[in-house]
Amino acid sequence: MTETSLSAAQTLRKTVEARLKVRHAQETRFRAYGLVAIFIALSFLAVLLGRIVTQGYSTFVEYSLTVPVYIDPARVDPADISGANFDLMIADQVLARLGIKDDDFGTQSSKVMDILSNDLGFQLLEKVKASPALIGKTVTVTGPVRADGALYYKGEIKRSTPEDERKLDNAQLGWLDRMKATGMVSSGFNSGFLTRSDSTEPEQAGVWGAIVGSTMMLLVTALLAVPIGVLAATYLEEFAARNRWTDIIEVNINNLAAVPSIVYGLLGLAVFINWLHVPRSSPLLGGLVLALMALPTVIIATRSALKAVPPSIREAALGVGASKTQTVFHHVLPLAMPGVMTGAILSMAHALGETAPLLMIGMVSFVPGVPEGFTGAATVLPVQVFIWENASERAFHERTAGAIMVLLVFMIVMNLAAILLRRRFERRW
Amino acid sequence: MIHQSDEGPGPATPGDAIKIRARGINVFYGAKQALFDVSLDVPEKSVTALIGPSGCGKSTFLRCINRMNDTIAGTRVEGRVELDGEDVNDRSIDPVVLRARVGMVFQKPNPFPKTIYENVAYGPRIHGIATTKPELDAIVEKSLKRAGLWSEVADRLQQPGTGLSGGQQQRLVIARAIAVSPEVILMDEPCSALDPIATARIEELIDELRNQYCIVIVTHSMAQAARVSQKTAFFHMGKLVEAGATGDIFTNPRDGRTQDYITGRFG
Amino acid sequence: MLTWVALLALALFSGATFFAARRKALASVGGRPVGLHSLPGYYGGYVAIWVAIPAALVLLAAAGFGGRLEAGLLRATPAPSVQALDAQQRDVFFDDAVSLSEGRQASESVYEGALKSALDSAVARARHLKSQITYGALASALALACAGAGFAFPRIRPDFRARNRVEGWIAGLFILCSVTAVLTTVGIVGSLIWESWRFFQSVSPIDFLFGMDWDPQIAMRADQYASSGAFGAVPLFIGTFLIMIIAMLVAAPVGLFSAIYLSEYASPLARAVVKPLLEILAGVPTVVYGFFAALTVGPLFREFFNGIGALLIGGGLDGLGQYLSQVQNQMALVAGAVMGVMLIPFVSSLSDDIINAVPQSLRDGSLAMGATRSETVKKVVLPAALPGIMAALLLAVSRAVGETMIVTMAAGLQAKATINPLDTVTTVTVQIVTLLTGDQEFDSPKTLAAFGLGLTLFAVTLTLNIIALRIVQKYREQYD
Ligand SMILES: Nc1ncnc2c1ncn2[C@@H]1O[C@H](COP(=O)(O)OP(=O)(O)OP(=O)(O)O)[C@@H](O)[C@H]1O
Ligand SMILES: [Mg+2]
């Protein structure tokens, strides 16, 4: 008996050991698949972010030209200041400084105007308009080089490219080189990108309008979605009896959370624009649509925060004679607040990055300034990204990546805030 | 202080053969030490019961034998556990082989969400013990019969194992464990989730299995330990207080703590 | 602006009544709150609610609908010269009247003679109406606030159940908020069905759902309204399907294996590092993925295939080479692959939850049998988690189908019924965006078609979600 079982034991060992190598190889392979999958996912993240930074960081470098311009009384009519060609005056000045004579047709000066931003002329116009006394004096203006010139400085436009395949000819490249060498052009941080709004000229386009638009829209979204969502979640979690109606509401909310965002855009178009006549493209409208979209997420997050508050706290409060409403408002909700706020911030961050529904409600229009109030036309950061991505000028591609970097900074700040909040208040009981 | 005695009453006299020899076992969960210098011999072809108050380290000791402690992150085991004279923690021992030789039954029945047949066939399949369908059928039938479940499930082998009653599930799990013909079966409170009738069936089963396997069982029931085991070891706060023939421990404990525990004064 | 001021004033007034009512309640019991049924604040709150709510509703209604009321009244009495205009011109006329009355720019229409004077009088009337509506609203708000105070104040007596009343109002507010979600659904379903119904008046649903030609641009002219041949959505469905399949081919294995590794193998530290990184991937706005697809992945893939094509040209696979060398940026593969990357964290976090819900006892049981970890995962954990994982994948499919920005930026506009991943396809969402961006008449079948597509999209994703959420719920219950 002992003998047979001993040999049985040995057979078992033999059998198991025979397949051991294969099985361990399978194990190693399986593990490797997992590692490879994670590696793939993380390298996508690295490539995505890395690519955006490499494409976008140059947005934050600006090449600006500083030039003193003599406001020739012969060329500016004090009665019609706007009629004067300040661009040409600047171009002539630059030519003079480069020691180049223009021909009668102004070929050279118009080529100079091609590499300088019309913002310079505009500034000059504003200055002279503000004080006509400047006519006959010398005024110094500083403004960006036109986008193509900047691309040359940044190495995006190369001399090695055949001349007829690039936007700037050899003469213009030579001028650009000399302007830089003589110190007329200097490089610096492109604060204009953060302080200007959209423009048809890439070198003058900035994200300020979009930042303000996004902020206003998120304000509307937060003011609507957070209180309504928190109250709805509180009701469903703390007050409502479990019955068919609350079941319906619950299923409804869970499904709403998974409805494609573009459908909310259609809702906004049909109901808010066509039926309620909320002004198109406005932060109010965008905020309304995104609030409806964010509502289910806020509700779900709040409910789970409320669920995490131990029942003992409710029992204790009810035990000392507080009413149900008092218990919830004075004890349960304050304890759940960090969780609620975390959920709210995260859903606002999500709303900040949302684009598709805004396209439906007319937010794709070109808005060259900050929105005039909540009912004025506005653009928002992600839509600005979309608009610029569509633009044909190469210089806008860099700005698109730059705008994405700004957008991501906002999102990271919001996510960090949520994480800190979660860490700070995690489980107090 | 540790008293060892290998004789015990019971029908089949356990041989002198020691199946498992544990020496100086210390187990740490992170910084927390759960077992302190435990040394215990487990005889072949008999039932050894581990008793002691909750949290005293019975399960931890059990898991040292089949190295299930390895699966818990941050666990460290010191000392020697010999199975047939081989150190199970030796680097040459593959836990896969070890666990094929040492089966385990848990407190809560944990049949896989598969058919009854597949549950029992699980071990033979992964270890390549049965290669053909008839062989597998034979093993499944034999194991279920030995676990005393065959008559109840013979006609529904293709139904999910999770659909059985608690007691049936536990016997299914035992059948699953013996399907690979292990040498040792570890049982961690196998009856604590069962009603008295199901418990009685499992106890009968253990008594039958004793003839072929070395069984180590953790139990909270003194009566159960007295009924099914030939040897009993009493643990307290991570230490082995006393071990010996079951009859001796229950009638004539040497240590005051054992006395207190078996008479129900603490625990 | 005036509305804001009025609301502010109302808030102040209501606040004042709060304190007055509280004082009165306290006074009624000689300053000892124990004599009151409720805490004094509830009496204040009760009165403040009656003062503020009805008046505020009137003010908001006036702000929201005053413009429409004004326009409606203005239209009710058109001058004869205006009546002579056709419907569209009349709309423009009244819009201009309103715009001018508010000092905004009018349209470029030219008004002469009788029309000019009609316009002037309409503008004057619009101004008049506007001020009537505004001041009417203000007056009625004031009256309502006073009436509310007059109604609520006298009811303050020591035995008045102020707390129950206030809590009743709060309960009403609660229910209102909860119902918002339902109203949203009603709004979505209602507007989609209504607009789609209008669309299906001119294009038969059969042609729409089973037609093979999608070319809404040619159906612009009025005489072509009925030429529904241009609204066959099948190519869009195929394109959407193709991109979804490509996305799932990327997301499902990568997401699933990441989840398995994280939940079964990774150390707590590795998990603590990798999970937030994946969350970042999930938090990246889709427009960023779109940019990445259009300007990085697209050109990269194109060059890759063009390169292969160049190698093949002239060889035995000349035809394939020719084809590959002409592949464009906007191939389905690009949008699909990038969408797959976007879905990886979605799949992995859902699967991670699902896998973690599999009880540890099953793993222990398998490991104690001598199974390796991978055998445990493959033979016990995954089969147990299968329904949940299927549900997670269904949710991912629903996401892929409804995803808009990546395809809008990286897929094409050409509606081709092809399953060639290197070809350009378009999707339902791309077409919705294309049909609705840019200025056009809202009522043309072209824009209404977007709602037909939206309804289809909504129905499909909703079905997927309902099935998936059902499965997940069942699955959770099983292991609870
Ligand atoms: N995974 C673990 N991590 C940390 N500590 C653990 C772990 N498992 C057990 N312990 C601790 O080790 C000690 C012994 O636990 P063990 O499970 O062995 O007790 P037990 O005797 O089986 O108790 P019971 O009769 O309740 O099952 C206990 O204090 C327990 O808290
Ligand atoms: Mg235990």
Side-chain angles (χ1 to χ4, degrees):
Chain A
M1 171 103 189
T2 314
E3 207 125 280
T4 52
S5 79
L6 228 167
S7 71
Q10 263 156 4
T11 333
L12 170 68
R13 267 178 94 158
K14 286 254 154 57
T15 332
V16 174
E17 273 163 4
R19 296 197 51 228
L20 219 47
K21 244 180 137 170
V22 179
R23 290 170 66 190
H24 282 310
Q26 273 174 355
E27 170 75 15
T28 316
R29 226 176 307 139
F30 190 74
R31 215 184 152 107
Y33 292 152
L35 269 177
V36 167
I38 289 186
F39 177 77
I40 291 178
L42 294 187
S43 43
F44 278 140
L45 178 65
V47 170
L48 177 70
L49 296 184
R51 186 65 189 150
I52 280 159
V53 172
T54 50
Q55 279 178 308
Y57 80 97
S58 58
T59 313
F60 296 93
V61 179
E62 183 186 47
Y63 290 88
S64 52
L65 172 91
T66 307
V67 60
V69 186
Y70 172 64
I71 317 268
D72 189 349
R75 292 166 77 171
V76 182
D77 175 4
D80 179 23
I81 295 175
S82 310
N85 191 342
F86 290 99
D87 291 327
L88 185 61
M89 261 187 262
I90 294 168
D92 286 345
Q93 188 64 40
V94 171
L95 278 178
R97 300 190 131 232
L98 291 173
I100 298 163
K101 269 237 168 303
D102 202 356
D103 55 19
D104 289 344
F105 307 109
T107 329
Q108 307 293 333
S109 56
S110 73
K111 269 163 84 177
V112 170
M113 281 192 263
D114 278 349
I115 56 174
L116 298 182
S117 171
N118 60 7
D119 181 51
L120 288 158
F122 204 73
Q123 282 185 35
L124 212 50
L125 168 69
E126 291 297 312
K127 282 188 178 165
V128 176
K129 254 191 181 165
S131 63
L134 288 174
I135 297 171
K137 300 219 172 70
T138 300
V139 180
T140 305
V141 283
T142 302
V145 171
R146 204 178 270 274
D148 292 327
L151 285 181
Y152 171 65
Y153 285 138
K154 289 168 185 171
E156 292 277 319
I157 291 179
K158 295 188 184 71
R159 233 178 224 282
S160 51
T161 321
E163 194 173 6
D164 50 356
E165 284 176 24
R166 53 175 139 86
K167 287 228 177 124
L168 304 175
D169 63 19
N170 286 336
Q172 286 171 316
L173 296 190
W175 297 340
L176 282 167
D177 284 339
R178 280 174 61 197
M179 275 154 58
K180 196 162 172 207
T182 54
M184 273 165 83
V185 167
S186 58
S187 63
F189 177 70
N190 184 1
S191 57
F193 184 65
L194 296 176
T195 56
R196 292 171 193 257
S197 299
D198 198 7
S199 162
T200 45
E201 305 296 331
E203 74 278 358
Q204 295 173 44
V207 289
W208 178 243
I211 291 177
V212 174
S214 272
T215 313
M216 290 169 74
M217 192 184 68
L218 272 196
L219 204 66
V220 176
T221 307
L223 284 180
L224 288 170
V226 175
I228 294 181
V230 170
L231 287 180
T234 312
Y235 177 73
L236 292 174
E237 194 62 37
E238 303 284 336
F239 295 99
R242 290 267 164 278
N243 58 29
R244 228 179 49 202
W245 289 109
T246 44
D247 278 353
I248 290 177
I249 295 182
E250 185 158 358
V251 169
N252 197 320
I253 289 168
N254 288 337
N255 281 306
L256 268 187
V259 168
S261 59
I262 193 171
V263 171
Y264 285 93
L266 292 174
L267 170 76
L269 178 57
V271 173
F272 292 130
I273 297 186
N274 287 336
W275 194 51
L276 296 175
H277 295 278
V278 181
R280 273 172 84 92
S281 321
S282 63
L284 175 67
L285 177 58
L288 276 168
V289 169
L290 293 189
L292 292 185
M293 200 192 79
L295 192 61
T297 350
V298 175
I299 294 181
I300 291 171
T302 307
R303 290 189 73 168
S304 60
L306 288 171
K307 276 203 186 97
V309 176
S312 59
I313 292 196
R314 296 179 184 85
E315 284 149 19
L318 289 172
V320 299
S323 74
K324 186 85 206 184
T325 317
Q326 285 168 327
T327 305
V328 170
F329 279 99
H330 297 173
H331 302 282
V332 180
L333 262 184
L335 283 175
M337 239 347 144
V340 173
M341 288 327 291
T342 310
I345 294 176
L346 289 179
S347 53
M348 287 309 112
H350 183 206
L352 172 63
E354 195 53 71
T355 323
L358 303 181
L359 302 184
M360 306 286 91
I361 53 174
M363 275 204 157
V364 263
S365 44
F366 171 68
V367 182
V370 294
E372 300 162 5
F374 284 92
T375 50
T379 188
V380 294
L381 273 171
V383 177
Q384 188 71 77
V385 169
F386 177 69
I387 295 174
W388 283 351
E389 194 270 336
N390 266 329
S392 50
E393 286 101 325
R394 190 133 150 234
F396 269 122
H397 291 176
E398 162 197 271
R399 307 233 147 200
T400 314
I404 289 177
M405 286 167 72
V406 174
L407 176 61
L408 289 180
V409 165
F410 275 93
M411 306 211 54
I412 288 169
V413 167
M414 291 175 86
N415 279 287
L416 277 184
I419 291 173
L420 287 182
L421 203 63
R422 191 156 53 190
R423 287 264 163 84
R424 174 100 172 66
F425 292 99
E426 215 164 35
R427 239 162 272 179
R428 264 190 296 173
W429 38 84
Chain B
M1 182 183 123
I2 296 165
H3 175 79
Q4 298 279 354
S5 157
D6 289 341
E7 309 127 62
T13 320
D16 293 335
I18 301 296
K19 185 73 180 172
I20 302 162
R21 190 192 300 273
R23 287 295 175 268
I25 305 289
N26 290 305
V27 179
F28 302 85
Y29 291 116
K32 182 179 188 296
Q33 188 166 0
L35 281 186
F36 298 83
D37 191 28
V38 172
S39 300
L40 180 68
D41 289 342
V42 177
E44 173 74 302
K45 304 231 185 306
S46 71
V47 179
T48 302
L50 309 183
I51 60 170
S54 190
C56 65
K58 307 177 296 286
S59 303
T60 303
F61 179 75
L62 213 59
R63 286 200 301 264
C64 289
I65 300 172
N66 65 348
R67 286 180 57 181
M68 277 299 278
N69 279 325
D70 293 10
T71 64
I72 303 168
T75 312
R76 192 157 52 85
V77 179
E78 288 172 0
R80 264 180 92 82
V81 180
E82 287 173 9
L83 179 65
D84 287 337
E86 269 178 300
D87 185 0
V88 300
N89 289 313
D90 193 82
R91 296 192 51 211
S92 67
I93 297 283
D94 193 305
V96 168
V97 183
L98 175 68
R99 289 175 197 154
R101 294 171 61 196
V102 182
M104 189 166 191
V105 174
F106 296 83
Q107 177 171 359
K108 247 181 78 191
N110 57 352
F112 302 140
K114 297 168 178 284
T115 61
I116 294 172
Y117 182 94
E118 284 301 322
N119 261 287
V120 182
Y122 185 75
R125 267 195 217 278
I126 55 171
H127 292 304
I129 290 167
T131 41
T132 62
K133 175 86 172 128
E135 268 182 289
L136 207 56
D137 287 349
I139 291 180
V140 169
E141 180 173 347
K142 194 175 102 195
S143 311
L144 283 171
K145 275 190 175 145
R146 212 178 274 177
L149 194 61
W150 178 253
S151 56
E152 289 158 65
V153 300
D155 53 343
R156 47 171 172 154
L157 289 177
Q158 296 308 323
Q159 283 174 22
T162 42
L164 297 172
S165 76
Q168 287 174 325
Q169 286 189 8
Q170 198 63 305
R171 276 179 283 147
L172 175 63
V173 170
I174 293 175
R176 185 175 75 190
I178 59 184
V180 292
S181 325
E183 298 158 45
V184 180
I185 302 176
L186 310 175
M187 298 188 173
D188 195 347
E189 302 180 36
C191 303
S192 63
L194 306 181
D195 64 67
I197 294 172
T199 302
R201 295 241 27 197
I202 303 273
E203 285 180 9
E204 270 169 42
L205 177 59
I206 293 172
D207 212 46
E208 284 160 24
L209 294 175
R210 194 184 86 209
N211 296 318
Q212 289 194 20
Y213 305 95
C214 164
I215 296 175
V216 186
I217 177 172
V218 170
T219 176
H220 273 275
S221 154
M222 296 308 112
Q224 186 172 62
R227 278 196 302 267
V228 301
S229 73
Q230 287 75 54
K231 180 170 178 173
T232 299
F234 173 62
F235 283 71
H236 186 236
M237 296 180 64
K239 297 197 175 78
L240 176 65
V241 174
E242 185 170 357
T246 302
D248 288 352
I249 296 274
F250 279 95
T251 52
N252 189 16
R254 319 236 155 161
D255 196 291
R257 285 169 294 178
T258 320
Q259 171 88 40
D260 288 348
Y261 183 70
I262 57 180
T263 53
R265 245 169 273 167
F266 72 86
Chain C
M1 192 59 216
L2 205 53
T3 313
W4 292 112
V5 174
L7 280 174
L8 189 66
L10 184 62
L12 290 176
F13 180 46
S14 149
T17 56
F18 173 88
F19 289 105
R22 202 173 70 158
R23 166 103 51 89
K24 179 177 174 200
L26 274 173
S28 71
V29 287
R32 285 167 303 108
V34 282
L36 289 170
H37 168 269
S38 315
L39 289 175
Y42 281 110
Y43 294 88
Y46 175 70
V47 177
I49 285 172
W50 270 109
V51 170
I53 303 286
L57 287 180
V58 167
L59 286 175
L60 289 176
F65 299 99
R68 306 191 69 189
L69 182 64
E70 178 191 334
L73 290 174
L74 198 60
R75 272 153 204 266
T77 53
S81 58
V82 177
Q83 255 165 336
L85 296 172
D86 71 27
Q88 205 174 353
Q89 284 172 320
R90 214 178 318 158
D91 283 347
V92 174
F93 173 86
F94 285 116
D95 285 348
D96 281 347
V98 172
S99 298
L100 289 172
S101 77
E102 287 166 4
R104 283 187 284 123
Q105 200 82 42
S107 75
E108 271 124 40
S109 314
V110 185
Y111 301 100
E112 279 164 342
L115 264 183
K116 177 79 185 110
S117 62
L119 183 71
D120 288 339
S121 71
V123 168
R125 187 164 150 68
R127 275 205 193 103
H128 178 66
L129 280 171
K130 187 168 187 67
S131 68
Q132 265 190 333
I133 291 169
T134 310
Y135 290 108
L138 284 182
S140 43
L142 183 65
L144 272 175
C146 294
F151 166 76
F153 246 108
R155 305 181 72 175
I156 296 177
R157 263 180 246 106
D159 60 346
F160 178 64
R161 298 165 164 266
R163 193 183 84 184
N164 306 34
R165 297 305 175 101
V166 171
E167 289 188 351
W169 274 96
I170 293 177
L173 180 66
F174 270 142
I175 292 173
L176 197 68
C177 290
S178 313
V179 168
T180 314
V182 180
L183 286 182
T184 309
T185 313
V186 172
I188 290 176
V189 174
S191 58
L192 287 180
I193 290 185
W194 170 245
E195 306 292 355
S196 305
W197 183 73
R198 295 207 303 168
F199 171 61
F200 289 134
Q201 306 248 295
S202 48
V203 176
S204 115
I206 307 284
D207 289 344
F208 174 69
L209 286 176
F210 302 105
M212 292 299 295
D213 281 317
W214 179 264
D215 200 352
Q217 306 305 332
I218 63 160
M220 279 288 281
R221 293 205 321 270
D223 55 352
Q224 281 183 328
Y225 269 18
S227 70
S228 50
F231 287 105
V234 171
L236 313 189
F237 299 151
I238 293 177
T240 310
F241 185 76
L242 175 63
I243 289 184
M244 179 274 283
I245 290 288
I246 296 170
M248 291 309 291
L249 286 179
V250 174
V254 178
L256 203 53
F257 271 107
S258 306
I260 290 172
Y261 190 86
L262 285 178
S263 58
E264 303 290 328
Y265 288 102
S267 67
L269 178 70
R271 219 181 358 250
V273 174
V274 174
K275 279 192 120 182
L277 285 177
L278 287 181
E279 272 175 40
I280 295 184
L281 203 54
V284 171
T286 52
V287 69
V288 178
Y289 282 105
F291 172 74
F292 183 63
L295 289 184
T296 302
V297 182
L300 195 74
F301 277 28
R302 191 203 59 220
E303 276 165 29
F304 175 75
F305 286 113
N306 288 174
I308 291 185
L311 289 179
L312 292 179
I313 285 181
L317 292 168
D318 186 68
L320 181 64
Q322 295 285 358
Y323 175 74
L324 286 181
S325 62
Q326 278 164 21
V327 160
Q328 293 295 305
N329 273 355
Q330 284 113 336
M331 53 189 125
L333 187 61
V334 172
V338 173
M339 193 188 283
V341 173
M342 181 201 84
L343 290 174
I344 289 173
F346 188 69
V347 172
S348 89
S349 81
L350 283 176
S351 317
D352 196 37
D353 287 352
I354 299 282
I355 290 173
N356 280 330
V358 174
Q360 186 60 31
S361 68
L362 290 184
R363 289 186 188 86
D364 287 347
S366 170
L367 291 173
M369 294 289 302
T372 60
R373 273 199 186 271
S374 63
E375 284 162 350
T376 304
V377 170
K378 283 187 277 191
K379 304 210 162 111
V380 175
V381 176
L382 285 187
L386 193 64
I389 288 175
M390 289 319 288
L393 293 181
L394 277 188
L395 286 177
V397 167
S398 150
R399 268 269 181 114
V401 169
E403 168 50 37
T404 310
M405 292 321 294
I406 296 177
V407 281
T408 303
M409 293 162 86
L413 290 173
Q414 260 178 48
K416 257 196 239 169
T418 172
I419 51 163
N420 176 0
L422 302 184
D423 219 335
T424 301
V425 295
T426 191
T427 71
V428 172
T429 48
V430 172
Q431 288 304 316
I432 295 179
V433 171
T434 323
L435 292 174
L436 289 180
T437 46
D439 292 318
Q440 46 236 343
E441 281 294 302
F442 184 73
D443 286 345
S444 76
K446 200 183 134 186
T447 49
L448 290 177
F451 284 88
L453 291 176
L455 184 64
T456 322
L457 176 67
F458 179 73
V460 169
T461 53
L462 187 70
T463 315
L464 288 171
N465 295 337
I466 289 180
I467 296 174
L469 292 176
R470 260 282 162 88
I471 299 177
V472 169
Q473 197 188 2
K474 283 254 169 69
Y475 174 80
R476 286 263 147 79
E477 279 164 6
Q478 182 192 338
Y479 290 124
D480 264 351

